[in-house]
Amino acid sequence: MAKVTEENAEKSPDVESQEKETRFSRRAFLSGLGATGMAATAQPLMAAVAEPPARQAGEAAEAGTVSLVLRVNGVERRLQVEPRVALLDCLRENLNLPGTKKGCDHGQCGACTVHVNGRRVLSCMSFAVMHANAEITTIEGLGSPEKMHPMQASFVEHDAYQCGYCTSGQIMSAVAMLKENVGPTDDDVRHAMYGNICRCGAYPNIVAAVQQVRRLS
Amino acid sequence: MEQFGFVSARSEAQAAEAAARSATAQIGASVRYVAGGTNLVDLMKLDVERPKQVVDINALEMSRIEPMNGGLRIGALARNSDVANDATVKRDYAVLSQAILSGASPQIRNMASTAGNLLQRTRCPYFRDLAQKCNKREPGSGCDAMEGHNRMLAILGTSEHCIATNPSDQNVALMALDAVVEIRGKSGNRNVPIAEFYNLPGTTPHIETVLEPGDLITAVRLPAPVEGAKTGYLKLRDRAAYEFAVASAAIVLSMSGGRVTHARVALGGVGTVPWRAREAEAVLVGQPATREQFVRAAEAALKDAKPRSENGFKVELAKRCMVHALTTVSAA
């Protein structure tokens, strides 16, 4: 039998084109999974995937769901959602805002930090239905790649991340912190940011990024 | 998480009426109020809490912090961060501000309410894990903590049925401040001194407080600050932040001519309830505020401690914590 090595394991053109056709981005893959795969496994939790279609008068709501209007990043979003859906899951799965990350899901890591009425909170620790009438801001509402919030730009400039999973929570926390009574030193920043864990240990750069914004603002 | 009905209460009466349908206000209640959610939602995700009905009380007007009878009335819904940063609290009840700021994280303190913190559940790993035996979660099932990982668990106020620690910092400070819990009950309002609010586990560790179905905590009242009193909170823990206490001490101390005239000492991290160290107070009052006397007080406070396999270190640690806190506060 011919020994297969990296050199002689050339792919046939057929295989290559097949791969090109099926290659897709991680995000597109996950979004697709949201609409099909995850819906199949977790249907009861997700009354609506992405933007739910507007319900016609008289049309029955899905069992166990309630109507909810959330004001997220300045936009009113109408949805049907089960009361047991955490704000975090609602943002990610129902409203298609995956910038807010699920880390521990138990209030121990800070990855899911968002702003509710201007204050930083953990979106994993409350139910979405508790936030009707609240003003919710996620990382998507803070800035965009083309027009970053100064804190986002500073994180990029200071390379204040490695894997990036905790980053949106770090940034949301840091932006809220600007309005809080926090002392001027690096230690003060570390203390004010201790609710956001970074497993990669990018803390020195995170502190530097936050301090630059504080100096300039 | 199991499904539940959700209602947002528009009035205290409506909230209390919904809660009154539960057979108990203790472990296993079928109706739960939710304020911040930081404890309840966590426990619901673990299936430790399985209410059939959740009553959102956030729309109720219960978040004010206002003067009352020379003291302070802290609304049940006042968020931990607002209480800790309140100017009056910082000036007259510093121990409360310090205690709150030593716990959780800024995000959690922005959510967690005063009354929710009062009812904060133990972090005992056996309580939080359905696969383990726990008399608190499932009365009569046994306690796997006794011979298990009990390093973080209690040494004071324990029973052979439960050694779960009360995890709150806020409540330790409230003990030292002689706080009063204001409760709207089915048959009228009542004010319960915090020293009488918590039950020792005894044979019924699942009955943690004096709350009855239909009760709604509306506020926590602080009496007028003790004349000339100094206060402080010292928390010892495995890491510098975002961790529960292995031992903590809340101190309220007045002195005159070098002698202690008023002393309140409460301990956290070591008791099944926020622990008022009355024996220590008795040793302190009328005596000189010296290190020797503080050591005697600490010995008295821990004389009945019952450590288990992994938490024997807490006996000495709690004493040193108390002595250090008393030394710092008296010298301030």
Side-chain angles (χ1 to χ4, degrees), chain A residues 35-157:
Chain A
T36 56
M38 283 180 75
T41 56
Q43 186 61 43
L45 274 178
M46 287 146 206
V49 174
E51 189 76 284
R55 214 149 41 84
Q56 302 300 312
E59 192 182 333
E62 227 168 304
T65 66
V66 295
S67 299
L68 175 67
V69 179
L70 282 185
R71 196 169 168 78
V72 183
N73 300 329
V75 180
E76 265 191 13
R77 309 287 295 264
R78 293 174 182 280
L79 62 161
Q80 286 292 128
V81 70
E82 273 200 49
R84 61 179 165 173
V85 174
L87 176 61
L88 168 63
D89 296 310
C90 181
L91 292 170
R92 291 179 55 85
E93 312 295 346
N94 298 63
L95 298 178
N96 201 22
L97 293 168
T100 304
K101 301 304 183 198
K102 180 183 282 199
C104 67
D105 206 25
H106 284 276
Q108 300 172 4
C109 77
C112 68
T113 302
V114 300
H115 299 173
V116 172
N117 297 329
R119 304 199 340 170
R120 49 175 163 162
V121 301
L122 300 180
S123 60
C124 76
M125 293 270 82
S126 61
F127 298 118
V129 287
M130 292 162 60
H131 298 288
N133 310 318
E135 195 73 45
I136 299 162
T137 307
T138 71
I139 190 80
E140 289 92 343
L142 208 59
S144 63
E146 297 74 36
K147 197 178 173 199
M148 285 190 280
H149 183 281
M151 191 64 76
Q152 291 173 308
S154 190
F155 266 63
V156 172
E157 190 185 326

Side-chain angles (χ1 to χ4, degrees), chain A residues 44-45 63-64 66 82-86 88-89 102 105-110 113-114 119-127 129-131 133 169 173 176 180-181 191-197, chain B residues 1-6 10 34-46 54 56 58 79 81-82 85 90 101-111 123 128 237 239-242:
Chain A
L45 274 178
V66 295
E82 273 200 49
R84 61 179 165 173
V85 174
L88 168 63
D89 296 310
K102 180 183 282 199
D105 206 25
H106 284 276
Q108 300 172 4
C109 77
T113 302
V114 300
R119 304 199 340 170
R120 49 175 163 162
V121 301
L122 300 180
S123 60
C124 76
M125 293 270 82
S126 61
F127 298 118
V129 287
M130 292 162 60
H131 298 288
N133 310 318
S173 208
E180 296 170 10
N181 184 20
H191 192 71
M193 293 288 292
Y194 72 63
N196 293 81
I197 311 290
Chain B
M1 189 188 300
E2 291 183 11
Q3 286 183 301
F4 57 85
F6 179 85
R10 293 295 143 198
V34 66
T38 55
N39 200 197
L40 182 68
V41 175
D42 181 29
L43 292 172
M44 286 175 70
K45 286 180 179 186
L46 297 171
V54 172
D56 184 351
N58 286 295
R79 306 297 154 169
S81 52
D82 293 325
N85 292 310
K90 286 204 283 193
L101 291 176
S102 76
S105 72
Q107 291 97 312
I108 292 172
R109 295 194 294 267
N110 278 341
M111 305 170 78
R123 305 300 294 191
R128 292 169 59 83
R237 46 191 158 171
R239 55 186 180 200
Y242 215 174

Side-chain angles (χ1 to χ4, degrees), chain B residues 76-191:
Chain B
L77 286 174
R79 306 297 154 169
N80 283 183
S81 52
D82 293 325
V83 177
N85 292 310
D86 180 86
T88 308
V89 172
K90 286 204 283 193
R91 189 189 65 217
D92 295 338
Y93 309 96
V95 62
L96 178 59
S97 177
Q98 292 166 16
I100 291 173
L101 291 176
S102 76
S105 72
Q107 291 97 312
I108 292 172
R109 295 194 294 267
N110 278 341
M111 305 170 78
S113 67
T114 298
N117 199 335
L118 271 184
L119 301 177
Q120 192 182 162
R121 290 271 135 73
T122 183
R123 305 300 294 191
C124 175
Y126 299 92
F127 174 74
R128 292 169 59 83
D129 182 350
L130 295 190
Q132 310 290 337
K133 288 179 194 154
C134 172
N135 288 322
K136 189 185 277 297
R137 175 167 38 74
E138 208 180 319
S141 64
C143 172
D144 279 338
M146 293 292 173
E147 305 307 323
H149 295 292
N150 49 41
R151 181 176 175 276
M152 294 297 288
L153 301 181
I155 54 173
L156 292 169
T158 59
S159 76
E160 58 189 274
H161 301 277
C162 186
I163 55 172
T165 318
N166 187 293
S168 172
D169 293 297
Q170 170 195 280
N171 303 343
V172 182
L174 292 178
M175 278 281 171
L177 291 168
D178 290 324
V180 172
V181 183
E182 187 186 294
I183 301 167
R184 180 193 196 284
K186 266 194 285 195
S187 45
N189 299 347
R190 62 194 199 276
N191 298 317

Side-chain angles (χ1 to χ4, degrees), chain A residues 162-176:
Chain A
Q162 285 184 41
C163 81
Y165 198 79
C166 73
T167 308
S168 63
Q170 299 277 2
I171 290 174
M172 295 310 287
S173 208
V175 170

